[in-house]
Amino acid sequence: MSGALGGSTLPAPARALLGRIGGWWRGGSFTAVIAMAARASSQLALLGVTLVATRTLAPADFGVFAIAAALLTLSRTMLYTGPFEYVLKAAQADGPAVASAGLAANLAVALGWVVLLCGAGLAAPFVFRGPGVALLLFCLAPSNLLAALAGWEEAMLLRGQLVRRYYAITVVTEIAAGLGAALLLVLGWGLWALVAQVYARLVIFIVAYRAVLVLPPLPRPSVRETHKVLAWSWSRYGSVMVGFLANYSGDLLLGAVFSPAASGLYRAGNRVVSALADMFVQPAGLLVTTGLAAERARGGAGDGAWLRLSGLFGALCWPALAGLAVVSDEIAPVMLGPAWVGAGPIIAVFCVARMAALPIAVASSVLVIEDRQNRVLWIQSAAAIATAVLTLALASQGPIAAAFATTLVALGWAAALAVAAWRARRVHGGALGDLALLVLWPTLATLGLAWGGRLLALHWHLLPGQTLGLVVPMGLAGWGLSLHAVRRPLRAGLGALGR
């Protein structure tokens, strides 16, 4: 009986499979899959709220929230860098003192952002043509104090290696806050539903983190230690500012130069595309980083598994974005509502921009592991400045022109990082050929059959929903058929994922 229970009577292939699953479950790959699931759930929850909001809010109202949320995002991101990272990396012996100083530093930064956002609220009516942005900024600014506490608790959770609990809390919280916001939007709360979501999400995080945290006795924060934490954080704040300019220049400049309605179209289109792309881009960066870090820790040169992983995610991400671009005109009114027809071309343009996000994430991971993070910062800074300048030059032409500006810079950004990563970690030409084959062939096949379906839909004068019903299956068929032609590099990519 014990032999049967132990699996010794199972066929050898079955025992091998069970052993592989057990090792995968115990290893870091399972945590990585949990991370991907958490990312997907967060994106789906955010997309769901966006879809409900676009059907219950006018583009101008949605644009008002997009502008206020962009400024809030800048402040919020700074509360999850600097002291957050300092607490994570502190030596065990210094843990309690650094934890106290990290909390004090985060609260000080949060208080500063409350003042800054209120100041931005006073100036908003003169910049964004109306009082809507100002009122939202005044209401959202105090949430930074809650975010400072939630961010500190998150750092303590991750410092204690409670990674799976962290991801579980993330999934539950994002879904709960998203469902609550969607319900309030349907009940007619308007913009206040989105404000309520911001506060509810933070309160749930604070309560849930505290429920699983076992904190050591914390001393009173030292002024000297707190200053040390803040001094270390300045360079990280600079990086956050650079990233913000690269990602949100379009929202702010369109709102100032054109109108909040233009910002709403721009952000809604960006949100739809990002929800799809980030399901692949963020996990790709995570797995490449962890894989390369493990190789470096072992002192080995590596066998190019990170490149095969990149190809695997590219074979999923790029065809999906190509298909979305083909049906963007149809999917905008179906997903967002009839008032958002103008978002279709913006979605198509952003599909190209988000294709560039995958090589950006992978190349950045390579450069950071190779201790060339300064190169990443310089390229990122150049991209941020170029995005702001080009968007400002084209903003008067509307949101489509602003999306083109973002896309052009993203393509240059990806190319510069890819070249830098190749120089830092040269790979065999055959590996690059396999990467190109694995990514381009499914993308072109998906694009070709999807466009064939689109032309048939135009010929038959199909409605948007009918067009989607024809084009999407044809695109999927093209993608599925193409996998046979790339089966060898595809198997290699799957093998790298299973490590």
Side-chain angles (χ1 to χ4, degrees):
M1 178 67 70
S2 62
L5 289 175
S8 60
T9 61
L10 291 175
R15 292 200 306 271
L17 178 60
L18 288 174
R20 188 177 182 86
I21 291 174
W24 174 78
W25 180 277
R26 292 187 296 271
S29 296
F30 181 63
T31 300
V33 172
I34 294 177
M36 287 188 282
R39 185 69 175 183
S41 66
S42 298
Q43 290 297 321
L44 289 174
L46 188 55
L47 178 61
V49 173
T50 300
L51 297 183
V52 176
T54 56
R55 290 183 174 274
T56 56
L57 299 175
D61 288 336
F62 189 82
V64 165
F65 184 79
I67 294 169
L71 294 172
L72 184 68
T73 298
L74 173 60
S75 62
R76 191 62 47 80
T77 305
M78 287 191 177
L79 298 176
Y80 286 83
T81 52
F84 177 92
E85 296 161 327
Y86 197 93
V87 168
L88 278 179
K89 75 179 189 67
Q92 196 66 34
D94 300 330
V98 171
S100 295
L103 177 58
N106 232 23
L107 288 171
V109 173
L111 185 60
W113 272 107
V114 171
V115 175
L116 287 173
L117 289 179
C118 288
L122 293 175
F126 305 101
V127 179
F128 298 112
R129 306 177 188 178
V133 175
L135 184 59
L136 279 182
L137 285 175
F138 291 141
C139 293
L140 291 172
S143 69
N144 278 301
L145 296 173
L146 294 176
L149 178 58
W152 177 80
E153 287 184 340
E154 182 177 320
M156 295 298 292
L157 198 70
L158 295 175
R159 179 180 170 83
Q161 300 296 308
L162 302 175
V163 178
R164 296 183 185 180
R165 293 187 184 183
Y166 159 71
Y167 282 124
I169 291 171
T170 298
V171 171
V172 173
T173 301
E174 296 291 1
I175 292 175
L179 288 175
L183 178 61
L184 293 178
L185 283 166
V186 172
L187 293 177
W189 278 46
L191 289 175
W192 301 111
L194 302 179
V195 174
Q197 180 194 18
V198 170
Y199 281 93
R201 179 176 175 274
L202 290 171
V203 170
I204 295 173
F205 271 131
I206 290 172
V207 173
Y209 288 157
R210 189 64 188 90
V212 300
L213 268 177
V214 179
L215 293 174
L218 299 177
R220 175 175 292 188
S222 160
V223 174
R224 181 174 177 273
E225 190 68 32
T226 303
H227 181 268
K228 182 180 178 181
V229 173
L230 289 172
W232 183 89
S233 303
W234 279 115
S235 62
R236 297 296 296 127
Y237 293 152
S239 182
V240 168
M241 182 65 74
V242 165
F244 172 79
L245 290 175
N247 292 320
Y248 288 94
S249 294
D251 301 73
L252 301 178
L253 292 174
L254 279 173
V257 176
F258 213 77
S259 68
S263 290
L265 286 171
Y266 182 92
R267 177 48 49 185
N270 196 345
R271 184 68 264 155
V272 169
V273 179
S274 295
L276 175 62
D278 284 358
M279 293 182 189
F280 307 106
V281 173
Q282 197 270 350
L286 170 70
L287 291 176
V288 168
T289 299
T290 54
L292 288 175
E295 286 180 1
R296 182 160 181 170
R298 292 192 299 266
D303 58 359
W306 67 274
L307 206 60
R308 294 193 289 273
L309 270 177
S310 304
L312 177 63
F313 279 100
L316 298 171
C317 180
W318 279 28
L321 290 172
L324 178 59
V326 172
V327 297
S328 59
D329 284 339
E330 286 74 24
I331 210 166
V334 170
M335 290 185 66
L336 303 176
W340 297 80
V341 174
I346 300 171
I347 291 174
V349 174
F350 272 124
C351 284
V352 180
R354 297 305 290 172
M355 283 182 177
L358 185 62
I360 287 173
V362 171
S364 296
S365 298
V366 172
L367 290 169
V368 169
I369 294 299
E370 294 295 325
D371 293 325
R372 303 191 185 186
Q373 61 268 27
N374 287 337
R375 180 65 58 87
V376 177
L377 179 59
W378 282 112
I379 294 175
Q380 185 183 31
S381 300
I385 294 170
T387 301
V389 171
L390 197 54
T391 302
L392 182 61
L394 298 178
S396 61
Q397 305 301 314
I400 297 178
F404 267 114
T406 299
T407 301
L408 288 174
V409 175
L411 293 174
W413 184 359
L417 282 174
V419 170
W422 181 78
R423 290 176 176 172
R425 197 179 184 92
R426 293 181 183 271
V427 293
H428 190 270
L432 290 176
D434 286 345
L435 173 65
L437 179 69
L438 183 54
V439 175
L440 293 180
W441 186 243
T443 302
L444 293 175
T446 302
L447 195 60
L449 265 72
W451 263 113
R454 177 73 184 276
L455 292 175
L456 286 175
L458 290 173
H459 179 71
W460 292 333
H461 304 288
L462 299 183
L463 297 174
Q466 295 170 324
T467 299
L468 291 174
L470 174 65
V471 175
V472 172
M474 288 188 66
L476 286 172
W479 178 78
L481 291 172
S482 72
L483 296 183
H484 179 72
V486 296
R487 58 190 181 279
R488 184 179 60 81
L490 180 63
R491 283 197 298 267
L494 291 171
L497 182 63
R499 293 188 176 188

